[in-house]
Amino acid sequence: MSNLPAAIKIRPAGAADVPTILQFIRGLAEYERAPEQAVATADDLLRDGFGAAPRFRVLIAEHNATAAGFAFFFFNYSTWLGRPGLYLEDLFVRPEFRGQGIGKALLLRLARIAVEEGCARFDWQVLDWNTPAIEFYQALGAQVRKEWLTMRVEGEALRRLAAQAH
Amino acid sequence: MSNLPAAIKIRPAGAADVPTILQFIRGLAEYERAPEQAVATADDLLRDGFGAAPRFRVLIAEHNATAAGFAFFFFNYSTWLGRPGLYLEDLFVRPEFRGQGIGKALLLRLARIAVEEGCARFDWQVLDWNTPAIEFYQALGAQVRKEWLTMRVEGEALRRLAAQAH
């Protein structure tokens, strides 16, 4: 087991962290070259993550009590295994805090949560041009599921499809 | 709006449908050339889908009151849009009922559920060799998200990662 610098701490997020979470979401959208697409508001995150039936959970990584990064996740389900899976939607470390093992510490903590909560798998997605990230994930034991393509219907196409339903 | 044959009906699944759902899951695993990987049991599905906090939902398509196919889904979350998304894990129509529009009817019904429940997106995955399915989905307005790769840690690699967490 490697040592995490004493300055770094990982904790679950609460409602008071929503402004910070929103900054991280926007920071990641910029890194992924789509800043204009991150339109979520604080009200959205409060309603969906910190009410009676949360749709997601968030970990905050702190460096000397300053929020340095986050992991945003929820659970999916494997029909083959009959068990939930942990799905990591967003992982982000602020540029000035990189290179200190914070991203890795978040991933390890998520793996522990997955095991503790009976998950069979821990999945996430990565952009195909992000070679350093892919290699980092592979070094941790992750595999690229090359044969699976993701399909999406959204916006007007989704409404058009819905309108045809019986 | 096209017409669905009067013989076809779509309804939400209940606990009594678990044996049928299990048959469909195994049928799909065979079609995807991995029958040995579908090890979920009836107890697993009952516990995770039909208790106090269901982890998934299922639609059953009936042809003259015989179960002909199913859609197995749950909700994910878009941090960019601040809205849930509908994720289709499994879609399957028994071979003898294909070519009657049952798969399409299930997809349309899922699109309607997505819109009704405030989802921004409707996503699923498809194997890259399944060209007929990909073309069928594209004709319905779905797009292939080619630039996104799925990463997965599971089994021993997941336990190893979890054991390193602080």
Side-chain angles (χ1 to χ4, degrees), chain A residues 107-125:
Chain A
L107 285 167
L108 296 180
R109 180 66 66 90
L110 290 167
R112 195 174 81 189
I113 292 171
V115 169
E116 285 172 355
E117 305 198 10
C119 294
R121 302 163 169 175
F122 172 18
D123 294 352
W124 62 95
Q125 289 195 318

Side-chain angles (χ1 to χ4, degrees), chain B residues 122-143:
Chain B
F122 171 18
D123 294 353
W124 63 94
Q125 289 196 318
V126 62
L127 283 161
D128 57 5
W129 50 258
N130 198 349
T131 312
I134 294 168
E135 288 172 356
F136 169 64
Y137 297 145
Q138 287 175 321
L140 293 177
Q143 298 194 311

Side-chain angles (χ1 to χ4, degrees), chain A residues 70-84:
Chain A
F70 86 138
F72 188 111
F73 65 103
F74 38 79
F75 297 91
N76 56 21
Y77 197 81
S78 165
T79 49
W80 289 7
L81 301 175
R83 302 260 295 280

Side-chain angles (χ1 to χ4, degrees), chain A:
Chain A
M1 186 153 93
S2 60
N3 286 319
L4 197 63
I8 296 168
K9 237 186 74 177
I10 293 174
R11 61 170 178 81
D17 295 305
V18 162
T20 303
I21 295 169
L22 218 43
Q23 278 178 14
F24 289 149
I25 290 171
R26 290 169 185 163
L28 183 56
E30 249 167 68
Y31 178 74
E32 288 178 346
R33 307 176 188 174
E36 75 292 349
Q37 293 186 39
V39 299
T41 66
D43 283 349
D44 292 334
L45 297 184
L46 274 171
R47 177 194 64 225
D48 292 334
F50 301 93
R55 293 182 174 275
F56 57 81
R57 283 160 60 181
V58 179
L59 296 177
I60 302 281
E62 291 180 338
H63 181 276
N64 286 330
T66 300
F70 86 138
F72 188 111
F73 65 103
F74 38 79
F75 297 91
N76 56 21
Y77 197 81
S78 165
T79 49
W80 289 7
L81 301 175
R83 302 260 295 280
L86 192 153
Y87 188 86
L88 171 61
E89 178 70 19
D90 279 359
L91 178 75
F92 181 73
V93 177
R94 285 164 59 190
E96 60 272 37
F97 291 100
R98 289 183 194 158
Q100 302 183 46
I102 294 175
K104 181 175 174 182
L106 284 165
L107 285 167
L108 296 180
R109 180 66 66 90
L110 290 167
R112 195 174 81 189
I113 292 171
V115 169
E116 285 172 355
E117 305 198 10
C119 294
R121 302 163 169 175
F122 172 18
D123 294 352
W124 62 95
Q125 289 195 318
V126 61
L127 283 161
D128 57 6
W129 50 258
N130 197 350
T131 313
I134 295 168
E135 289 172 354
F136 169 65
Y137 297 145
Q138 287 175 321
L140 293 176
Q143 298 195 308
V144 185
R145 290 167 58 72
K146 281 206 177 71
E147 71 282 25
W148 287 97
L149 301 175
T150 305
M151 308 291 309
R152 170 168 294 173
V153 190
E154 60 187 337
E156 190 44 42
L158 178 58
R159 283 185 289 276
R160 215 163 34 229
L161 215 54
Q164 294 174 56
H166 296 274

Side-chain angles (χ1 to χ4, degrees), chain B residues 1 24 41 55 58 108 121-122 132 134 144:
Chain B
M1 187 152 92
F24 289 149
T41 66
R55 293 183 174 276
V58 179
L108 297 180
R121 303 163 169 173
F122 171 18
I134 294 168
V144 186

